[in-house]
Structure formats: C-alpha cells, structure tokens
Amino acid sequence: PMAIPAGRLLVDTARWALHGSAGAEFRFCLALLPAAEQETVLRFVRDEDRVRALVSRMLQRHCIAAALGAPWDAAILRTKGNKPFFQHDGRYANFNFNVSHEGNFVALAAEPICIVGVDIAAPALARGRAPRTHAELQAAFRDQLTPIEWEHVQSGGSDAERIFRLHWSMKEAVAKARGDGIVFGLHRLDFSFSAVGPASADAIPRFDGKPAPTWRIHSDLIDDHWITVARCQPADVIDAHGQFTATMRKRVFTEEEWAAAADQPWLPFVRTSVRELVPAAHVAGYDAVVGQ
C-alpha cells in the first residue's frame, strides 16, 4: 500500500488478533522476521503485546522494501535511544521512519527530508482500563504536564482524559523525533497550538517555555486514538553513536528550504491489513495458512 517515502500506515490489531500468539498465522508471520527480531517479539508476555510488536516489525520492513526497494531481511539498526533507522542509499536525502503501538493500532510514519516521530495515545478502554477524571490524571501525572497544560485538560470537563491524551501524544511524538525518548523530561515541554478541533490539532513545541518554530506537529483522532506526527530538523536529533545522523544527506537548511519540506501537507493514515505487509513471495503461503 505504500510506494512513496512520506508514508502513513495504520494496522488495526484489535481486528486482526492472529488468533493468539500460539496460532499458525502468528507463527507464519513471525518466521518472516530475522531471528533476533523474533526473539524481541517473543520477550513480550501478553498476546496483544506480541501481536503489536510483530506488526510493528512487519511495518518497518514493508516500509523500507516499498519505499526503497530494500530486501525484506535488510538490517534495521537502532540508536542508543532505541529509535529504528535504515542505512539508505540516499535517493531521498534523509529517509527515516518511526513506529508506535498502543490500544487497537500500530502506526508507521515515514519522511524523505524531515525527521519524524509518531505516537499513539489510546483511550483507557482500549488499554483495558477505566477512564480517569481530571483529578485522577493530575494525581498520577502531576509533574509531567505544565500548569498551562493542566488548565487545558481541566477545561475539557468530561473530555479531560481525551485532552490529556492529546498533550501526551504530542510530547511522546516530539521525544521520539528527537530520539532520546522520555529521558528528555516531558515536564519541560508544552505546546503553542495553531489549531485545535474535535478530531485534529496543530502545534509547535515549547522547550522550557521557549518556542521551537522549526518544528511541526499534527494530531488526528482516529477511533478515539490520538495519533501525532512530529517533524523536525536533523539538528534536533539526539544520536549518541552518530550512526543515524550519518545517514542524513541534507542537514543544513535555509528558511525557504526548510519551509518547503516541513510545510508539506499532512498525509492521512492509510489503513492496511497484515496480508498487505507480507512479502510478495510469501503471500500464497500466508493465504494457505489463514485459509483465504
């Protein structure tokens, strides 16, 4: 389903539950991965976590195959902060991707020039929990949001949990674009919103209260899951070992060049099936296993 580098893919793993990680379909898909990735998937204890981890790995491999023509078993590396990346051939200057999985969905976002981070914030029920009130959220996460953010959450009334998840998803997407994860300190980060609607939002981040105008952040509400994509410059990336930044062919931008890249339209996420992620040479085998 993805033939362009700026891809957005979404798999609904709640609808495709692989009949459990003991099922033939799960085992078939797992066997498509390199041995080390199979071990990573199986380290998860719960069925749903194994399924999400497997789909995440399949999405990454489908991405580099569809966008770059890379072999399915090509090496996908990780930064010290655990951000996945691929040592691409440079046909797209800074080709990179990011994945997230929570609740019912696994998402992948890829970009040809901007550095990308993606995060899903699922509703409580999709995570097997009861929704929390503003007071309960503040008790659990008091130090993670700024006072201004808590005011926004409280203003939501019965929608407080949904507004909290919007802020949380944006914070995580920024941290994942940077590549240092929540080590950065989510309490140091809040947002200046340029648009907020019932099912979408656009913003730029503020680090320690200082706006970062080169960043772009967009969130969509899909089946009550906030899915946020963040775009930033290579200079914003934290990469202790330098292997990820070494893949970037374009690191310095004029204002005009950066605006041309960062202000590209936000693409919608395309729902795809696990079958569409299976390499062409293995689709007949997959169909035989699942009885299609």
Side-chain angles (χ1 to χ4, degrees):
M2 180 166 63
I4 57 172
R8 303 284 187 269
L9 291 179
L10 195 63
V11 177
D12 186 339
T13 56
R15 296 188 183 185
W16 179 78
L18 285 161
H19 312 295
S21 60
E25 186 180 0
F26 180 94
R27 294 198 308 272
F28 180 91
C29 291
L30 185 69
L32 298 174
L33 299 180
E37 293 188 11
Q38 294 183 37
E39 291 174 15
T40 301
V41 169
L42 293 176
R43 281 194 203 116
F44 289 95
V45 176
R46 299 192 310 164
D47 256 9
E48 54 265 45
D49 292 329
R50 287 182 169 190
V51 168
R52 292 185 195 111
L54 172 58
V55 173
S56 172
R57 301 290 177 153
M58 292 179 72
L59 271 171
Q60 293 172 54
R61 298 200 163 276
H62 171 78
C63 170
I64 61 171
L68 303 172
W72 174 264
D73 60 353
I76 293 176
L77 306 177
R78 288 185 175 257
T79 66
K80 185 180 179 183
N82 210 33
K83 184 180 176 82
F85 68 96
F86 179 66
Q87 291 179 314
H88 57 89
D89 58 10
R91 75 180 74 177
Y92 307 112
N94 296 336
F95 181 81
N96 70 114
F97 58 87
N98 202 229
V99 285
S100 181
H101 47 85
E102 185 173 276
N104 297 344
F105 291 125
V106 183
L108 178 141
E111 288 281 342
I113 297 172
C114 303
I115 307 305
V116 67
V118 64
D119 187 74
I120 301 172
L125 293 176
R127 291 180 285 118
R129 298 177 180 174
R132 288 189 270 199
T133 64
H134 168 259
E136 290 169 332
L137 289 165
Q138 197 162 24
F141 299 100
R142 182 180 306 277
D143 296 336
Q144 301 302 313
L145 268 62
T146 66
I148 291 172
E149 288 179 309
W150 282 122
E151 287 178 16
H152 188 204
V153 172
Q154 188 170 21
S155 73
S158 60
D159 264 348
E161 194 245 10
R162 184 175 292 141
I163 295 174
F164 170 83
R165 288 190 288 110
L166 170 62
H167 285 269
W168 193 264
S169 178
M170 285 186 164
K171 286 173 184 270
E172 290 273 10
V174 167
K176 292 176 71 176
R178 281 170 54 102
D180 55 351
I182 59 174
V183 172
F184 165 73
L186 298 183
H187 63 285
R188 298 173 54 193
L189 174 62
D190 65 4
F191 302 94
S192 175
F193 288 89
S194 54
V196 183
S200 67
D202 293 280
I204 63 167
R206 290 187 297 227
F207 297 98
D208 297 321
K210 184 179 179 182
T214 58
W215 284 74
R216 305 287 188 275
I217 302 172
H218 178 78
S219 301
D220 288 306
L221 191 66
I222 302 175
D223 292 356
D224 205 26
H225 292 58
W226 280 113
I227 306 182
T228 299
V229 177
R231 289 170 171 161
C232 70
Q233 294 190 0
D236 297 307
V237 170
I238 309 298
D239 180 23
H241 299 150
Q243 289 179 296
F244 175 40
T245 48
T247 70
M248 301 173 194
R249 309 301 205 270
K250 174 76 173 169
R251 303 190 205 185
V252 179
F253 296 83
T254 66
E255 282 190 34
E256 293 78 14
E257 286 174 334
W258 180 244
D263 292 328
Q264 287 293 309
W266 294 104
L267 297 173
F269 277 89
V270 177
R271 294 184 189 238
T272 187
S273 68
V274 168
R275 184 179 186 271
E276 291 174 283
L277 305 181
V278 173
H282 295 280
V283 169
Y286 174 86
D287 288 347
V289 165
V290 300
Q292 292 197 356

